[in-house]
């Protein structure tokens, strides 16, 4: 299950990987918080998609419950089928109830070397801080903002005078294979998802 908000290049990479024989995971559905252009990648791969808009709910908790229900409905898994929810450019903080239900089987990709530069403007913040090095992180989502256990990271140098757009594009070139390989390794059990001990027990 992949959640997106934008163009969905990470989603596209996952869909392409999952269509290759031997890739150990499949994308059962794609969810978004609005009319994300990246939903077109789901249709192109004949993968169902759905939108759960925060503006249709009176508070974040209700929206999170509706998103969780849509995931369960679209996943249609047998009892023993493992479900991994991947936030890939999903630009919303997931409510606590949602995190409790899915974490640690809930991961995110973030365009910085966490714990440096959490939040929605990670690339801009790294440039503003004068960082000479940044990167990308795949991590388990916990109840904080970009604070969960790090699963995989890659680093890259910032070019002098580089624009936010150019740097983010170079980060995304590393991010897509990092995410595809992390999902592969989670599916095969090579990469274990250890729950954050601070969270109430989840499944
Ligand atoms: C990615 O860099 C992700 O880490 C960040 O937003 C970007 C989304 O890219 N949160 P895309 O929609 O997958 O192309």
């Amino acid at each position: 299950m992949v959640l997106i908000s934008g163009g969905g290049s990470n989603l596209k990479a996952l869909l392409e990987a999952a269509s290759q024989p031997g890739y150990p995971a499949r994308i059962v559905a794609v969810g978004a918080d609005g009319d994300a252009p990246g939903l077109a990648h789901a249709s192109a791969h004949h993968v169902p998609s759905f939108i759960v808009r925060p503006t249709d709910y009176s508070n974040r908790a209700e929206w999170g419950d509706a998103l969780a229900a849509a995931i369960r409905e679209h996943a249609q898994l047998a009892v023993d089928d493992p479900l991994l929810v991947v936030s890939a450019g999903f630009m919303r903080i997931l409510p606590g109830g949602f995190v409790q239900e899915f974490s640690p089987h809930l991961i995110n990709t973030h365009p910085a070397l966490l714990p440096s530069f959490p939040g929605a403007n990670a690339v801009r913040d790294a440039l503003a801080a004068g960082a000479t090095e940044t990167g990308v992180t795949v991590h388990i989502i916990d109840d904080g903002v970009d604070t969960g256990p790090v699963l995989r990271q890659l680093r890259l140098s910032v070019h002098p005078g580089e624009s936010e757009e150019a740097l983010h594009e170079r980060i995304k070139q590393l991010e897509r294979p990092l995410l595809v390989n992390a999902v592969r390794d989670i599916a095969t059990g090579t990469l274990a998802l250890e729950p954050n001990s601070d969270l109430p027990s989840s499944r």
Side-chain angles (χ1 to χ4, degrees):
M1 177 69 58
V2 184
L3 302 179
I4 65 165
S5 297
S9 68
N10 284 286
L11 165 67
K12 183 167 181 275
L14 284 168
L15 287 163
E16 286 170 355
S19 70
Q20 297 300 311
Y23 192 78
R26 69 191 175 99
I27 315 296
V28 287
V30 177
D33 55 343
D35 299 306
L39 290 174
H41 299 307
S43 341
H45 284 260
H46 310 289
V47 168
S49 64
F50 59 89
I51 298 174
V52 184
R53 298 173 202 276
T55 47
D56 288 343
Y57 299 89
S58 48
N59 58 53
R60 290 181 65 244
E62 280 182 20
W63 167 70
D65 291 347
L67 184 62
I71 287 173
R72 284 193 297 270
E73 181 193 326
H74 283 84
Q76 295 276 336
L77 297 172
V79 184
D80 290 334
D81 276 351
L83 173 66
L84 177 69
V85 178
V86 180
S87 157
F90 189 66
M91 301 306 284
R92 303 264 172 194
I93 296 166
L94 292 161
F98 183 98
V99 173
Q100 264 182 48
E101 175 164 352
F102 294 105
S103 189
H105 309 282
L106 174 63
I107 66 170
N108 180 47
T109 176
H110 181 79
L113 282 179
L114 292 173
S116 298
F117 309 116
N121 300 306
V123 181
R124 189 179 313 162
D125 293 347
L127 285 170
T132 54
E133 194 179 58
T134 186
V136 56
T137 303
V138 174
H139 67 99
I140 297 174
I141 296 180
D142 69 0
D143 52 359
V145 177
D146 301 325
T147 53
V150 169
L151 296 170
R152 295 273 164 89
Q153 286 186 313
L154 285 174
R155 56 184 67 227
L156 84 175
S157 298
V158 178
H159 293 162
E162 189 166 24
S163 69
E164 179 182 349
E165 193 184 22
L167 177 57
H168 199 168
E169 191 46 47
R170 286 200 303 121
I171 290 172
K172 284 169 74 166
Q173 283 170 21
L174 296 182
E175 183 174 33
R176 293 187 281 261
L178 187 75
L179 181 63
V180 163
N181 292 341
V183 170
R184 176 198 65 201
D185 293 345
I186 290 166
T188 58
T190 314
L191 179 56
L193 297 175
E194 302 294 347
N196 183 330
S197 53
D198 295 340
L199 273 178
S201 65
S202 54
R203 69 199 178 104

